[in-house]
Amino acid sequence: MEQVAIEKSLRQLLAEKREGLVKKWYETVVETYPDDVKTFMRNTSAQFTNPMGYNFAHGIEGLFDGLVKGLLPDAVADFLDGIVRLRAIQDFAPSEAVAFIFRLKGIVRDELRNDPRGGALAAELAEFDSAVDDLALYAFDLYMKCREKLYDIKAREAQKATFRLLQKARIITGEDV
């Protein structure tokens, strides 16, 4: 009986290596934080005692699964939003806030470096890279929307504070508005 080698697709390989890839990808997010926060974030098991770590871990898993299944970007918007929203209020620069997405490309390539099919996966890797890039662009848009909302909230709060100060100083009344 002749044995037929069944070639696995990149998606199948990524699905098989999911746990390790997700863990490495999560670690790249953790590494963007100060040492005291890193320790806290690595404890992701408790949703209520560590909501930030839990949201990042859950989000990374959802994003990875979406990339592997080709469900981008709308299908993973909730996962991405949870991560990007946190990074927006933490005052990350836009490039820093979404850089973790691009790091997945290197993680995948490191994992597949010794794969005997190497070049045979090139077309699929290019497609995967494109999906990662699309996800990063979508993340950037979400980040900017969050930042705009934050600036809007801060501006309204400053207006309210100024109004209250002027009222206290009896320069204006509520009727002047």
Side-chain angles (χ1 to χ4, degrees):
M1 183 153 92
E2 191 174 318
Q3 196 172 22
V4 178
I6 299 173
E7 292 291 322
K8 292 182 183 177
S9 71
L10 177 63
R11 287 183 180 179
Q12 290 170 320
L13 287 171
L14 295 178
E16 286 176 6
K17 298 173 182 279
R18 178 188 185 275
E19 186 176 336
L21 291 168
V22 166
K23 190 174 188 175
K24 288 176 185 176
W25 195 19
Y26 178 75
E27 190 60 30
T28 67
V29 174
V30 171
E31 287 300 317
T32 63
Y33 289 93
D35 288 338
D36 56 331
V37 178
K38 288 177 189 178
T39 304
F40 182 68
M41 284 193 57
R42 286 184 177 116
N43 178 17
T44 59
S45 59
Q47 179 178 5
F48 299 105
T49 58
N50 183 5
M52 189 170 89
Y54 177 84
N55 283 336
F56 276 103
H58 183 68
I60 292 288
E61 288 175 1
L63 291 174
F64 184 84
D65 292 343
L67 280 165
V68 170
K69 293 175 184 172
L71 304 174
L72 295 177
D74 295 333
V76 296
D78 289 342
F79 297 114
L80 190 58
D81 186 65
I83 295 171
V84 171
R85 189 175 300 268
L86 283 170
R87 291 177 78 84
I89 63 172
Q90 294 169 336
D91 286 330
F92 278 94
S95 60
E96 295 171 321
V98 300
F100 76 94
I101 295 170
F102 293 112
R103 291 192 182 108
L104 180 59
K105 291 181 193 182
I107 293 167
V108 167
R109 279 181 171 57
D110 285 346
E111 189 69 30
L112 300 176
R113 185 179 319 134
N114 297 324
D115 193 281
R117 283 161 290 169
L121 296 174
E124 288 181 85
L125 274 170
E127 188 178 310
F128 180 79
D129 286 349
S130 180
V132 170
D133 292 343
D134 289 345
L135 183 64
L137 291 172
Y138 190 74
F140 182 77
D141 288 344
L142 285 175
Y143 176 88
M144 293 310 296
K145 285 178 186 173
C146 289
R147 293 303 291 221
E148 287 170 9
K149 180 118 176 135
L150 282 173
Y151 290 132
D152 185 48
I153 290 169
K154 287 178 183 180
R156 276 191 264 134
E157 286 300 315
Q159 280 180 321
K160 287 179 186 177
T162 302
F163 180 75
R164 285 191 296 267
L165 285 173
L166 291 173
Q167 276 185 319
K168 278 188 174 185
R170 297 179 191 254
I171 295 173
I172 62 170
T173 65
E175 298 162 3
D176 294 334
V177 181

